[in-house]
């Protein structure tokens, strides 16, 4: 076997130590294979199992590259959006029986693949869920061809909307002006993803792997829009000093969220919207029934949701995240004294009714306590 | 009092079987361990072993691996390659009448006949499970939205038994009258083959991953609950309208493996904590065969006389229980 085996020095994965899974999405030609080759050949001391749709262009000799046919299974529970990837269930089950064989799993999807069933597999299948944890969904975007892709397909938009990390690749093939426009479009589709500009998928792997984007304990901590000073700290947060790409972003409009919406609307090809809600302290007896009913009814329209909730009388931050109808939540940590006890919730999806969401969220507000007025 | 001969095999035990009177253990690392008579270890697959089963028709162990090979180990401990399909994963195997072997990779089902021919059948969805009817060269595959019955030696269109959802495992009843599948949902589904009449077997808190037909096919014992669930199949309607038998109920410990005794109405039940009980159908009387272990029981098998029970766990613990002590 290859050197990769002797590099297997990192902590072996066990059942108490779930195996992280990174999902790579992106259109044909966006640089997925280049990134995969980088991950497999770089000297990082970790061993990866890679699930691909087709063998072929991966030039690295690795005995843990598995081919699997995309097989979407609708769950028989009357919910059209409750889908899993049957092929991933089978392959992940096969791969995870032997302990310490590899440290992480990479799933490469086809350009046309819907990222949602891939992600849902890691939440809905009990065996897969017990042995693995979804780390992040990484979308590669071809800076030159994205506008065209958005015109002729919905998948390209879905992949960006669903991503935690977007690699805006092939930046060397477009002008600075076009690059800014493409980045604004990505921001319009998904204001919460971390965007990195790359050439030939060249990126510090620490910015792609080990993101813990679905970990409730860390959810939103890395989300630029959720940070207190998001609009100012964003770019510095995204690109560390060791970033090798062009740092011309400091002259961006830092209020990128609103700016991006304005610019992208001219493209007419963006159908995904993002809605951010803000409120004070909430009443858990109102919030839980509301979010349950909402995800039941609007699940098919919700691609992702994330939130930090301040419940009346609860010293801890409560965090929630969801994919379609699947929603999970947990206490994260105590509110710090210098933090404003504020509830925030973001939705990324289609056909979302902003006014209704705002009204519903506002109606969950905790009543002001009588003694506070006394 | 039962006695146990333990074997620490150190790797996930995919399947325990008896070949003749000797136990054999197929491990996920690709090896087959034959501990009797001094003991030997065969390397059946490079990379890993994905699936293994006892071929009851030919009394041999069949295995499929990541190396795209199907391997057979016979009662003498001799190993041979049945087929090789390149670098595709062989995800399921099954033995059939007259030495036939069925296996699958992706959306293709293969049938190897003992004259050395390999017949291929393409399906529109992934072949998740494969089984042979007890008589004749007839196969069934489990797939999305149902099961397909076909005769590998002919080009006739498969007979599609439809039921919405993803079907994973498949088995014929020993009399060949019923076909049963396990599903991605926590349920089994069945069809009476003569008329396609449906049988829904639901109510499990977890996926069904192991099953075993009792002597003469009276019951189908299954995992997937904190008790073994046994569906009655003796009537002409199968389990329709009948309540299943529940044996070996244990609060919050899941049943992970089942093996019906070859001649008596008695079941060995393996649990997620490694415990093994033997339970009689008639009065639910329980006997402790193994107190517990490091990991969930994965597989169990009786020898043909019904005196020895081989078992293997996900943590590599294995052994043979002698119920006569």
């Amino acid at each position: 076997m290859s050197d990769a085996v002797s590099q297997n020095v990192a902590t072996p994965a066990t059942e108490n130590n779930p195996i992280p899974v990174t999902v790579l999405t992106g259109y044909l030609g966006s640089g997925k294979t280049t990134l995969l080759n980088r991950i497999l050949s770089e000297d990082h001391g970790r061993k990866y199992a890679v699930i691909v749709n087709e063998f072929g262009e991966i030039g690295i000799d690795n005995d843990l590259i598995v081919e699997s046919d995309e097989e979407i299974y609708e769950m028989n529970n009357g919910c059209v959006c409750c889908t899993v990837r049957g092929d991933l269930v089978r392959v992940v089950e096969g791969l995870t029986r032997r302990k310490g064989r590899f440290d992480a799993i990479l799933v490469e999807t086809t350009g046309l693949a819907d990222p949602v069933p891939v992600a849902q597999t890691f939440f809905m299948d009990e065996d897969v869920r017990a042995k693995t944890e979804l780390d992040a969904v990484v979308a590669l975007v071809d800076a030159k061809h994205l506008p065209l892709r958005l015109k002729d397909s919905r998948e390209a938009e879905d992949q960006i909307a669903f991503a935690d990390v977007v690699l805006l690749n092939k930046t060397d093939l477009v002008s600075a002006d076009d690059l800014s426009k493409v980045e604004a479009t990505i921001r319009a589709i998904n204001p919460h993803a971390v965007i990195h500009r790359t050439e030939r998928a060249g990126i510090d792997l620490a910015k792609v792997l080990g993101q813990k984007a679905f970990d409730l304990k860390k959810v939103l901590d890395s989300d630029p829009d959720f940070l207190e000073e998001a609009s100012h700290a964003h770019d510095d947060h995204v690109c560390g000093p060791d970033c090798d790409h062009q740092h011309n972003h400091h002259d961006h409009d830092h209020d990128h969220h609103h700016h991006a919406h304005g610019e992208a609307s001219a493209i007419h090809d963006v159908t995904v919207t993002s809605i951010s809600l803000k409120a004070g302290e909430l009443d858990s007896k109102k919030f839980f029934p509301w979010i349950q009913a909402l995800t039941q009814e609007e699940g098919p329209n919700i691609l992702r949701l994330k939130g930090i909730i301040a419940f009346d009388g609860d010293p801890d931050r409560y965090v929630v995240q969801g994919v379609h109808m699947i929603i999970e939540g947990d206490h994260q940590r105590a509110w710090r004294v210098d933090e404003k006890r504020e509830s925030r919730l973001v939705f990324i999806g289609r056909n979302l009714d902003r006014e209704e969401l705002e009204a519903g969220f506002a109606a969950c507000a905790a009543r002001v306590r009588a003694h506070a007025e006394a | 009092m039962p006695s146990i001969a333990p074997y620490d095999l150190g790797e996930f035990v995919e399947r325990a079987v008896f070949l003749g009177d000797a136990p054999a253990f197929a491990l996920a690392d690709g090896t087959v361990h034959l501990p009797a008579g001094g003991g030997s270890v065969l390397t059946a697959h490079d990379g890993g072993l994905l699936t293994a089963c006892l071929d009851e028709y030919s009394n041999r162990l069949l295995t499929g691996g990541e190396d795209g090979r199907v391997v057979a180990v016979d009662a003498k401990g001799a190993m041979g390659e049945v087929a090789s399909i390149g670098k595709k994963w062989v995800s399921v195997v099954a033995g059939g009448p007259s030495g036939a072997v069925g296996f699958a990779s992706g959306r293709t089902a293969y049938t190897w006949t003992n004259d050395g021919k390999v017949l291929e059948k393409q399906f529109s969805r992934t072949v998740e499970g494969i089984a042979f009817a007890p008589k004749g060269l007839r196969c069934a595959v489990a797939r999305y939205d149902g099961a397909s019955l076909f005769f590998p030696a002919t080009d006739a269109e498969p007979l599609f038994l439809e039921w919405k959802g993803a079907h994973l495992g498949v088995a014929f009843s020993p009399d060949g009258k019923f076909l049963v599948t396990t599903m991605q949902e926590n349920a089994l589904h069945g069809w009476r083959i003569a008329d396609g009449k449906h049988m829904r077997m639901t109510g499990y808190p977890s996926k069904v991953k192991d099953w075993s037909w009792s002597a003469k096919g009276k019951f189908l014992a299954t995992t997937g609950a904190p008790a073994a669930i046994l569906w009655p199949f003796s009537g002409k309607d199968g389990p329709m309208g009948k309540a299943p038998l529940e044996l070996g109920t244990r609060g919050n410990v899941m049943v992970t493996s089942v093996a019906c005794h070859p001649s008596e109405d008695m079941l060995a039940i393996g649990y997620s904590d490694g415990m093994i009980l033997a339970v009689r159908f008639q009065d639910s009387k329980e006997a402790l065969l193994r107190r517990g272990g490091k990991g969930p029981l994965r597989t169990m098998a009786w020898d043909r006389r019904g005196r020895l029970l081989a078992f293997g766990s996900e943590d590599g613990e294995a052994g043979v229980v002698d119920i006569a002590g």
Side-chain angles (χ1 to χ4, degrees):
Chain A
M1 268 199 271
S2 65
D3 288 343
V5 174
S6 55
Q7 289 172 5
N8 187 7
V9 290
T11 337
T14 66
E15 271 174 75
N16 314 327
N17 205 354
I19 298 165
V21 178
T22 302
V23 177
L24 297 181
T25 68
Y27 248 73
L28 192 67
S30 59
K32 276 180 300 179
T33 306
T34 311
L35 179 64
L36 264 181
N37 277 331
R38 270 183 199 273
I39 294 172
L40 292 176
S41 58
E42 233 169 71
D43 183 18
H44 40 54
R46 287 168 70 79
K47 189 161 165 67
Y48 291 92
V50 187
I51 304 173
V52 298
N53 195 251
E54 220 170 294
F55 290 129
E57 288 165 52
I58 297 176
I60 310 293
D61 184 30
N62 182 321
D63 59 333
L64 279 169
I65 297 177
V66 188
E67 195 181 59
S68 90
D69 290 326
E70 181 177 7
E71 196 63 88
I72 293 178
Y73 290 164
E74 207 173 287
M75 299 299 286
N76 221 348
N77 58 3
C79 158
V80 290
C81 57
C82 285
T83 49
V84 298
R85 283 276 299 269
D87 56 315
L88 293 180
V89 172
R90 192 168 355 94
V91 171
V92 169
E93 242 182 346
L95 283 172
T96 52
R97 289 174 309 162
R98 294 166 61 191
K99 286 174 188 160
R101 196 176 174 199
F102 51 84
D103 307 296
I105 297 175
L106 300 167
V107 180
E108 183 202 22
T109 67
T110 65
L112 292 169
D114 180 353
V116 174
V118 178
Q120 288 188 158
T121 304
F122 296 92
F123 292 98
M124 292 186 73
D125 185 90
E126 59 188 87
D127 302 318
V128 171
R129 191 188 168 116
K131 292 191 170 166
T132 60
E133 64 184 5
L134 188 56
D135 185 68
V137 177
V138 178
L140 276 102
V141 172
D142 176 341
K144 191 170 168 67
H145 293 109
L146 181 69
L148 200 65
R149 293 290 176 232
L150 290 175
K151 261 192 214 323
D152 61 21
S153 83
R154 205 168 110 156
E155 287 86 4
E157 191 184 1
D158 279 358
Q159 287 165 0
I160 293 168
F162 201 75
D164 301 292
V165 177
V166 175
L167 296 195
L168 179 50
N169 196 28
K170 307 200 174 180
T171 52
D172 49 329
L173 301 183
V174 292
S175 68
D177 201 32
D178 285 348
L179 191 58
S180 300
K181 277 187 195 146
V182 170
E183 186 165 323
T185 305
I186 295 169
R187 274 270 160 259
I189 296 168
N190 185 342
H192 309 285
V194 178
I195 301 176
H196 300 290
R197 295 179 175 189
T198 58
E199 289 173 27
R200 285 172 289 280
I203 176 100
D204 176 2
L205 296 182
K207 296 191 168 102
V208 176
L209 306 169
Q211 300 299 294
K212 292 194 179 286
F214 286 85
D215 183 344
L216 275 175
K217 297 284 168 211
K218 304 220 167 145
V219 75
L220 305 168
D221 276 0
S222 60
D223 185 328
D225 257 44
F226 260 84
L227 295 177
E228 259 344 297
E229 267 122 344
S231 48
H232 302 291
H234 173 47
D235 282 327
D236 287 327
H237 170 77
V238 172
C239 309
D242 53 345
C243 243
D244 54 1
H245 66 251
Q246 301 271 312
H247 279 257
N248 61 352
H249 46 55
H250 286 287
D251 49 30
H252 279 185
D253 183 349
H254 282 296
D255 195 9
H256 56 84
H257 189 141
H258 304 287
H259 173 70
H261 271 301
E263 185 166 337
S265 63
I267 302 173
H268 290 305
D269 297 316
V270 174
T271 61
V272 169
T273 52
S274 162
I275 294 175
S276 300
L277 306 174
K278 211 182 240 192
E281 296 193 358
L282 301 186
D283 181 345
S284 59
K285 290 196 188 73
K286 294 175 185 162
F287 175 75
F288 285 115
W290 173 73
I291 195 85
Q292 291 286 357
L294 180 73
T295 48
Q296 285 297 309
E297 287 159 23
E298 292 294 319
N301 292 326
I302 300 168
L303 282 168
R304 297 280 294 262
L305 79 82
K306 293 178 180 187
I308 296 175
I309 310 296
F311 283 127
D312 179 33
D314 188 339
D316 291 337
R317 281 155 57 118
Y318 193 84
V319 288
V320 290
Q321 66 166 331
V323 174
H324 280 333
M325 289 174 104
I326 304 170
I327 178 158
E328 56 175 27
D330 201 359
H331 283 103
Q332 186 192 35
R333 60 166 171 80
W335 287 93
R336 285 193 277 265
V337 269
D338 58 345
E339 271 175 331
K340 196 171 169 195
R341 286 177 59 100
E342 226 174 30
S343 300
R344 283 164 292 169
L345 193 57
V346 296
F347 294 89
I348 296 179
R350 286 195 172 83
N351 306 318
L352 298 174
D353 186 332
R354 180 183 291 273
E355 278 175 28
E356 203 177 300
L357 288 174
E358 280 171 354
F361 194 59
C364 297
R367 233 174 261 151
V368 179
R369 293 181 185 198
H371 63 80
E373 293 170 3
Chain B
M1 187 58 197
S3 64
I4 300 180
Y7 307 113
D8 189 3
L9 304 181
E11 266 285 0
F12 190 106
V13 183
E14 177 63 31
R15 187 71 72 184
V17 299
F18 274 92
L19 298 174
D21 297 321
F25 300 92
L27 272 52
D29 66 358
T31 59
V32 174
H33 292 244
L34 306 165
S40 60
V41 180
L42 309 171
T43 300
H45 299 280
D46 282 336
L49 174 150
L50 294 165
T51 181
C53 72
L54 175 69
D55 175 358
E56 291 180 20
Y57 299 90
S58 307
N59 191 33
R60 59 185 168 171
L61 173 73
L62 295 172
T63 63
E66 293 179 15
D67 55 1
R69 295 166 69 240
V70 177
V71 169
V73 178
D74 69 16
K76 294 187 190 106
M79 183 171 74
E81 181 181 292
V82 175
S84 175
I85 53 165
K87 58 178 183 177
K88 287 187 262 181
W89 281 23
V90 174
S91 50
V92 282
V93 288
S98 315
V101 176
F103 58 100
S105 181
R107 292 173 184 161
T108 310
Y110 302 83
T111 315
W112 180 89
T113 53
N114 62 1
D115 53 6
K117 264 194 273 182
V118 179
L119 308 162
E120 289 185 27
K121 193 75 127 191
Q122 293 291 329
F123 290 89
S124 55
R125 304 300 295 255
T126 293
V127 176
E128 295 275 6
I130 190 163
F132 282 92
K135 282 181 193 133
L137 196 60
R138 191 179 201 191
C139 282
V141 299
R143 41 163 295 183
Y144 189 63
D145 278 351
S148 295
L149 288 169
F150 66 105
F151 294 96
T154 73
D155 287 333
E157 268 300 295
L159 173 67
F160 185 34
L161 299 170
E162 195 174 358
W163 185 259
K164 205 169 150 27
H167 300 257
L168 306 180
V170 63
F172 284 90
S173 60
D175 61 8
K177 286 182 181 151
F178 300 101
L179 188 73
V180 191
T181 59
T182 58
M183 298 187 69
Q184 170 71 28
E185 282 91 50
N186 304 332
L188 302 182
H189 195 78
W191 294 267
R192 188 162 64 193
I193 292 170
D195 58 3
K197 194 175 172 189
H198 293 284
M199 297 175 281
R200 298 179 62 186
M201 290 161 270
T202 58
Y204 292 92
S206 178
K207 252 198 245 183
V208 177
K209 284 192 269 184
D210 194 18
W211 52 10
S212 170
W213 291 96
S214 75
K216 301 185 192 80
K218 275 193 271 186
F219 287 92
L220 175 62
T222 61
T223 65
I229 307 297
L230 290 86
W231 299 96
F233 271 83
S234 45
K236 68 174 171 50
D237 288 337
M240 285 316 291
K242 294 175 196 152
L245 201 57
E246 291 185 25
L247 298 177
T249 308
R250 284 181 64 200
N252 52 2
V253 183
M254 295 295 278
V255 171
T256 52
S257 180
V258 285
C260 289
H261 192 273
S263 53
E264 285 172 47
D265 281 340
M266 196 246 283
L267 175 71
I269 306 175
Y271 296 87
S272 57
D273 62 357
M275 183 189 272
I276 304 174
L277 293 178
V279 186
R280 209 152 58 187
F281 296 2
Q282 193 191 359
D283 54 5
S284 304
K285 192 166 186 281
E286 297 173 0
L288 182 67
L289 299 188
R290 184 178 189 242
R291 212 166 283 283
K294 279 192 286 185
L297 252 288
R298 172 74 170 186
T299 171
M300 295 188 296
W302 290 97
D303 73 334
R304 59 194 163 152
R305 292 169 302 165
R307 178 176 161 167
L308 304 176
L309 178 77
F311 65 88
S313 83
E314 293 186 7
D315 288 62
E317 291 181 322
V320 174
V321 181
D322 183 340
I323 57 167

